[in-house]
């Protein structure tokens, strides 16, 4: 028998405030049409004053627990992917642990920017298949609205806030691609590309800083690297293109999503797209899209799903799983 990390619950949370593209027209030289044509984004959610990353992560976590029919103390661990934790320390994950009333196990953050959820899933999967934990909550949560330069129309219109969570559980499989659960993982990074996507602040500067991005360079790297990592992960899992039911990509930009699907030889009919309503929610975008995809009735038990993401670092990767 082979131990597999199987999704047994999921949930998400979006802040109440919805910000349409038109809201930016009063302060920036931009328009709804300009934003939509370049990104596919129509609106996004922004956290309320005083609403933190751990707050929205906790709400997504509670929804995932309810979906799974579990309590917080049924979990062995929480792995939270974020680049916008409430404080320098302690981790946002331990704050979620406390808010849920979970008084056992362990919790920690993973920081790989937009690829964070892929990295968090990889870590949780490794903990499960090594026997260190049986049931792990994996969360992606971000409040990128807190690191926006509101005078930079090339970045501030692209990002939003939100959180998504999945619960992985150790289950026995036969060891082939018919198993439910995570079938393969591929992770990559290349720190030589730091300057094309970064935040110009941090502990060393004693400032929070603002997000800075060279959009054309990011796009150039994204399509190539996302298609390659997805292909490698599919090859590791023994999954052919025609066996993929859904691509659930990082929701950064509709052009990147379309370009990656085309390079993989897959139809957009097989892609879960939420970027129009959420914007780029960084590490939260994939679990948000998974949760919305299930709500829409797109993703069903037994479906083969390919998830892929790229973010600052650069860091990128993919996970193939059977739902």
């Amino acid at each position: 028998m082979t131990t597999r990390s199987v999704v047994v619950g999921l949930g998400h949370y979006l802040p109440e405030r919805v910000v349409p593209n038109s809201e930016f027209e009063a302060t920036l030289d931009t328009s709804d049409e300009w934003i939509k044509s370049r990104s596919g984004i129509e609106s996004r959610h922004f956290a309320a004053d005083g609403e933190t990353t751990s707050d929205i992560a906790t709400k997504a976590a509670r929804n995932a627990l309810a979906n799974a029919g579990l309590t917080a103390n049924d979990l062995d661990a929480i792995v939270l992917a974020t680049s916008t934790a409430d404080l320098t320390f302690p981790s946002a994950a331990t704050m979620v642990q406390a808010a849920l009333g979970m008084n056992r196990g362990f919790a920690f953050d993973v920081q790989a920017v937009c690829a964070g959820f892929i990295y968090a899933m990889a870590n949780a999967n490794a903990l499960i298949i090594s026997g260190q934990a049986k049931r792990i909550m994996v969360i992606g949560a971000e409040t990128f609205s807190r690191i926006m330069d509101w005078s930079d129309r090339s970045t501030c219109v692209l990002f939003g806030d939100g959180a998504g969570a999945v619960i992985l559980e150790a289950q026995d499989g036969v060891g082939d691609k018919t198993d439910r659960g995570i079938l393969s993982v591929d992770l990559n990074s290349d720190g030589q590309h730091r300057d094309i996507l970064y935040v110009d602040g941090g502990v060393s500067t004693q400032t929070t800083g603002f997000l800075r991005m060279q959009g054309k360079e990011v796009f150039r790297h994204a399509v190539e690297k996302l298609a390659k990592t997805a292909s490698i992960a599919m090859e590791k899992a023994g999954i052919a293109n025609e066996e993929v039911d859904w691509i659930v990509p990082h929701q950064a930009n509709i052009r990147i999503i379309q370009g990656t699907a085309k390079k993989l030889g897959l139809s957009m009919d097989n892609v879960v797209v939420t970027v129009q309503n959420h914007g780029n929610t960084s590490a939260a975008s994939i679990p948000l899209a998974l949760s919305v995809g299930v709500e829409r009735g797109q993703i069903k038990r037994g479906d083969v799903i390919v998830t892929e993401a790229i973010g600052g670092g650069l860091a990128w990767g993919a996970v193939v799983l059977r739902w």
Side-chain angles (χ1 to χ4, degrees):
M1 302 297 282
T2 299
T3 300
R4 295 291 194 187
S5 304
V6 178
V7 176
V8 295
L10 80 166
H12 69 275
Y13 172 78
L14 291 161
E16 290 183 12
R17 183 186 172 197
V18 178
V19 180
N21 290 341
S22 58
E23 192 165 317
F24 292 100
E25 294 175 1
T27 56
L28 295 170
D29 178 18
T30 192
S31 67
D32 175 51
E33 183 55 37
W34 189 89
I35 297 167
K36 279 195 296 190
S37 66
R38 286 159 177 77
S39 67
I41 298 166
E42 299 173 14
S43 63
R44 72 288 291 145
H45 294 249
F46 285 165
D49 289 345
E51 188 174 38
T52 67
T53 295
S54 69
D55 290 336
I56 64 175
T58 299
K59 290 173 181 176
R62 287 186 175 131
N63 290 335
L65 287 169
N67 178 256
L70 297 171
T71 68
N73 282 319
D74 291 322
L75 302 173
D76 296 312
I78 296 172
V79 182
L80 196 161
T82 188
S83 300
T84 51
D86 305 14
L87 302 172
T88 301
F89 70 83
S91 68
T94 57
M95 295 179 181
V96 174
Q97 182 185 31
L100 293 176
M102 177 182 166
N103 53 21
R104 62 184 299 274
F106 57 95
F108 62 94
D109 288 355
V110 169
Q111 207 273 49
V113 201
C114 298
F117 187 75
I118 296 291
Y119 275 61
M121 287 283 276
N123 274 271
N125 182 53
L127 288 165
I128 286 172
I129 63 178
S130 66
Q132 297 296 307
K134 181 180 179 182
R135 198 177 285 123
I136 300 178
M137 172 94 71
V138 185
I139 306 170
E142 302 281 16
T143 49
F144 261 51
S145 61
R146 306 274 158 74
I147 54 171
M148 289 295 103
D149 177 349
W150 299 112
S151 66
D152 181 5
R153 72 169 185 167
S154 69
T155 57
C156 73
V157 300
L158 302 178
F159 293 87
D161 303 337
V166 303
I167 299 172
L168 296 177
E169 180 181 89
Q171 293 186 10
D172 290 334
V174 298
D176 63 25
K177 65 183 179 181
T178 65
D179 289 344
R180 290 183 65 218
I182 293 177
L183 301 177
S184 66
V185 173
D186 182 62
L187 299 178
N188 309 269
S189 66
D190 186 347
Q192 295 181 84
H193 303 297
R194 185 196 72 171
D195 290 343
I196 68 172
L197 180 55
Y198 67 101
V199 168
D200 60 3
V203 174
S204 62
T205 62
Q206 295 188 320
T207 62
T208 303
F210 296 115
L211 184 146
R212 306 299 182 192
M213 180 172 69
Q214 297 176 33
K216 289 181 181 179
E217 280 298 297
V218 171
F219 183 91
R220 185 174 67 82
H221 283 280
V223 172
E224 177 190 349
K225 287 177 168 57
L226 289 174
K228 184 175 181 180
T229 188
S231 296
I232 291 170
M234 288 164 60
E235 185 177 347
K236 287 180 179 179
I239 296 291
N241 279 29
E242 59 270 20
E243 295 176 280
V244 175
D245 294 294
W246 296 103
I247 302 176
V248 184
H250 168 49
Q251 308 286 319
N253 180 307
I254 193 63
R255 292 179 174 181
I256 293 173
I257 294 169
Q258 291 168 337
T260 304
K262 183 177 181 181
K263 204 167 182 67
L264 287 170
L266 293 166
S267 168
M268 283 297 293
D269 292 338
N270 298 100
V271 182
V272 175
V273 180
T274 61
V275 69
Q276 69 276 14
N277 300 319
H278 301 164
N280 182 344
T281 56
S282 188
S285 80
I286 288 175
L288 271 169
L290 286 169
S291 186
V292 170
V294 170
E295 278 191 351
R296 289 174 180 167
Q298 293 173 293
I299 298 171
K300 298 179 176 65
R301 184 185 174 107
D303 283 355
V304 173
I305 296 169
V306 178
T307 67
E308 30 82 353
I310 187 168
L314 292 172
W316 67 99
V319 171
V320 176
L321 68 155
R322 187 178 293 276
W323 203 251

